[in-house]
Amino acid sequence: MKTILTGIRSNSVLTLGNYLGALLPMVRLANKYSGEYQFNVFVPDLHSIISEIDGNFKENTLRTLKYYLAAGLLVNKNVHIYRQSYVPAHAELCWILNCTATMGEMSRMTQYKEKSEGKASCNVGIFDYPVLMAADILLYSAEFIPLGEDQFQHIEITRDIAERFNHKHGEVFVLPAKTAEQIKFMEIEKAIRIRDLISPEKKMSKSTVAENSKIMLDDTPEAVRKKIMSATTDSVGVIHFDMVNQPGISNLLQIEALVSNRPLSEVTAEWDGKTSYGDLKKQVSETVAKMLEEFQARLKEISDEDVILLLEEGEKYANEIANAKLLEVQKAVGLR
Ligand code: AMP
């Protein structure tokens, strides 16, 4: 069975934008392909320490994984969750691949250039990030890696490093699919972008300071109602789905459709031409408040121990696969 691999950052509390734009699509992808693919969901904790960690890292990891479970991720014999640092082969393969990757190609990586620009000093982890990522992918012979567009360059470099290694040492690595195939697989053109409630021309982001601009996954129903009822709309006075001229109203229609799991066309047909923005806001408030209440209830039922048990199982599986590939690599370069 081929493998799909995705890394989920162990973040702080997430927004409704993260939920609808990243969490749910990933959960649906995992549940859709389980049976056809192995689906590896890992927390890239070694990648995270290239910068300062906010808050309690271990707690954040468990909370993020609980979000995925509460959103419906079904961990089973084909869907595995694990922490990168609990599978030592990642760091070891990274070292071996460091001896194949070149300074020149790493210096050309956009993420490295952006993160190091203007800094007097920059840690080696930031520079070496793509090689560790290549190890994450190649250890499991992953074909598809659903990630943000900013990471495509790192998938391309993974292909280059693997190809160069294979050329020198024999056919050890399976190359991940090319960028164009990754895009097709992820259906990126359909990517969802939930807007900021106060400035709907921007995307909803957890780093925005104004609390009313974003719905957080731990918001109470009262907070949800207050935020949605005060969302910015427009002076057109008639409801139409038109992201350019009526981004606030269109954002609410989009949220209503996604949260109630109905096609956007059905929701827009229901509201198109109506004039009461207040009624639409009330409806969306209720839909979101209800969804979050149910989500939070499911979240409460998942204990730390539940997650740790799943992680331990996932890490046993990951270590088996990764260690077998690492041994192949070690033999190929002459270490074993
Ligand atoms: P970030 O919160 O920027 O670290 O993003 C984490 C994930 O959530 C990424 O896959 C983003 O594309 C996704 N995401 C963040 N904000 C939104 C949003 N407002 N709408 C849709 N997806 C989002």
Side-chain angles (χ1 to χ4, degrees), residues 9 11 15 17-18 21-22 192-195 203-206:
R9 281 201 295 156
N11 267 319
T15 68
N18 295 131
I192 293 151
R193 193 161 176 259
I194 302 299
R195 310 299 184 99
K203 80 166 191 175
M204 185 184 285
S205 166
K206 55 179 173 291

Side-chain angles (χ1 to χ4, degrees), residues 211-244:
E211 285 303 320
N212 279 349
S213 68
K214 56 193 179 181
I215 292 174
M216 305 306 294
L217 293 185
D218 60 357
D219 274 350
T220 61
E222 296 71 42
V224 169
R225 285 187 194 105
K226 189 172 147 255
K227 289 175 182 182
I228 294 182
M229 292 312 291
S230 62
T232 303
T233 51
D234 54 66
S235 54
V236 176
V238 183
I239 298 172
H240 289 303
F241 185 83
D242 177 350
M243 268 301 177
V244 179

Side-chain angles (χ1 to χ4, degrees), residues 84 91 116 125 149 162 170 176 182 193-194 206 217 225 245 294 335:
Q84 189 182 31
S116 62
E149 275 166 271
Q182 301 278 352
R193 193 161 176 259
I194 302 299
K206 55 179 173 291
L217 293 185
R225 285 187 194 105
N245 298 308
E294 289 168 2
L335 293 164

Side-chain angles (χ1 to χ4, degrees), residues 117-188:
E117 202 179 2
K119 296 224 174 92
S121 158
C122 159
N123 70 55
V124 177
I126 291 175
F127 183 72
D128 205 28
Y129 186 106
V131 183
L132 180 57
M133 188 164 153
D136 300 336
I137 296 169
L138 297 172
L139 278 174
Y140 305 92
S141 308
E143 182 178 11
F144 293 113
I145 305 104
L147 289 169
E149 275 166 271
D150 58 332
Q151 296 296 323
F152 288 157
Q153 203 183 25
H154 295 160
I155 297 177
E156 284 300 319
I157 209 74
T158 299
R159 286 176 55 86
D160 292 347
I161 294 171
E163 215 162 22
R164 201 174 312 137
F165 185 98
N166 284 353
H167 187 69
K168 190 163 172 205
H169 300 288
E171 292 298 310
V172 173
F173 293 125
V174 178
L175 272 56
K178 290 183 181 152
T179 303
E181 291 162 42
Q182 301 278 352
I183 291 175
K184 204 165 142 215
F185 179 77
M186 281 184 273
E187 302 185 339
I188 271 179

